[in-house]
Amino acid sequence: IQLDTTGSMGSNVDIALKGIPDTRDYLQDVMRPGCEAHVATGVFNDIVDRFRDSSPGIVLTRSQFEMTEKMAEQMQYHIPMRGGAGNGKEDSQFGLFAAAYLTSAYISRIGLKSYHFTITDDAAESYIDPTQLTRVFGKDVIEAVAKNGYQLDLQNLPSTAEVAQDMLKHIHAFCLLVNPSDYVQNFWTELLGVERIVVMPDTKLVPQVVSAIVGVTEGTLELS
């Protein structure tokens, strides 16, 4: 689960950060028999954000996959910048990149799909900037990607749309949009497909919505 923590999200940032640790318990109720839910959380900001001393801000933080108590503990280390430059996008594309190429999940190795949820009210950048990619993940990011079986070239990185398509090969990905504009909704619909977009008035029911989506997808819940 990656959460937009820029300024336009307003109070929805705090609401979501408080509620997301409950997601694991709701998920466990809709898992297939014998399966156990583990959840990784993350927040993303805007590459233009700055700390008070004008040094670069935090673009993305991600946790390990954990269960409820450790989820809450690790979420204390996420850094919501609450900024953004009003430039018509935030930088969730790095979270998509991490899900597609930098995540090694047991469930994928046994032929099943994991899940990825982006919670935002804005579009992402349409391309992956190599300078920012190494800033976020380190200079050895391409080597790390290779360890997961993907061959990428820092000078010829996939577009955000191509990243999304690679992610969808092994992940059920959804976007929970909070009061989006038509432009934002169209952006994510084009990126992931209309069946993967859920529009929400706020973030109060994120754990329940995420779990309902998983349950319906896995067939443990009926749509009714």
Side-chain angles (χ1 to χ4, degrees), residues 119-130:
I119 306 167
T120 186
D121 65 347
D122 217 334
E125 183 59 85
S126 61
Y127 63 93
I128 306 294
D129 183 285

Side-chain angles (χ1 to χ4, degrees), residues 164-214:
Q165 290 307 304
D166 281 344
M167 176 178 63
L168 289 171
K169 292 174 183 176
H170 59 99
I171 294 173
H172 295 298
F174 298 86
C175 185
L176 310 186
L177 291 174
V178 182
N179 285 321
S181 66
D182 290 343
Y183 165 74
V184 170
Q185 188 166 344
N186 289 338
F187 173 89
W188 284 100
T189 298
E190 185 174 342
L191 192 71
L192 298 179
V194 66
E195 71 279 9
R196 299 176 182 276
I197 307 302
V198 176
V199 176
M200 303 175 64
D202 52 51
T203 58
K204 292 177 182 177
L205 296 178
V206 164
Q208 293 90 336
V209 170
V210 165
S211 304
I213 290 171
V214 172

Side-chain angles (χ1 to χ4, degrees), residues 10-190:
S11 61
N12 285 301
V13 172
D14 297 300
I15 293 170
L17 288 174
K18 183 178 180 180
I20 284 174
D22 294 335
T23 305
R24 191 269 170 183
D25 289 337
Y26 282 99
L27 281 172
Q28 196 58 50
D29 288 339
V30 300
M31 297 295 288
R32 296 181 182 185
C35 293
E36 189 171 58
H38 289 73
V39 182
T41 58
V43 306
F44 63 90
N45 299 289
D46 196 308
I47 61 171
V48 300
D49 290 339
R50 295 289 184 269
F51 279 125
R52 293 177 183 177
D53 62 359
S54 295
S55 62
I58 303 299
V59 179
L60 174 74
T61 56
R62 300 174 77 219
S63 76
Q64 300 181 92
F65 286 87
E66 302 286 7
M67 291 187 285
T68 306
E69 290 184 6
K70 288 189 175 181
M71 274 181 62
E73 179 183 332
Q74 291 208 357
M75 285 186 69
Q76 297 177 39
Y77 297 99
H78 291 320
I79 303 174
M81 296 293 294
R82 304 180 193 273
N87 53 359
K89 62 176 179 59
E90 312 301 353
D91 287 284
S92 54
Q93 71 272 10
F94 296 110
L96 302 180
F97 185 97
Y101 307 121
L102 291 169
T103 302
S104 178
Y106 172 74
I107 193 171
S108 299
R109 296 195 291 273
I110 61 173
L112 300 176
K113 287 189 173 184
S114 56
Y115 288 81
H116 186 270
F117 294 89
T118 299
I119 306 167
T120 186
D121 65 347
D122 217 334
E125 183 59 85
S126 61
Y127 63 93
I128 306 294
D129 183 285
T131 300
Q132 297 297 336
L133 186 72
T134 55
R135 171 189 163 193
V136 173
F137 296 113
K139 293 181 179 180
D140 62 346
V141 59
I142 298 302
E143 288 81 359
V145 166
K147 289 179 180 179
N148 281 338
Y150 302 98
Q151 301 302 316
L152 299 184
D153 181 354
L154 197 60
Q155 304 308 315
N156 187 29
L157 292 169
S159 66
T160 301
E162 290 169 331
V163 170
Q165 290 307 304
D166 281 344
M167 176 178 63
L168 289 171
K169 292 174 183 176
H170 59 99
I171 294 173
H172 295 298
F174 298 86
C175 185
L176 310 186
L177 291 174
V178 182
N179 285 321
S181 66
D182 290 343
Y183 165 74
V184 170
Q185 188 166 344
N186 289 338
F187 173 89
W188 284 100
T189 298
E190 185 174 342

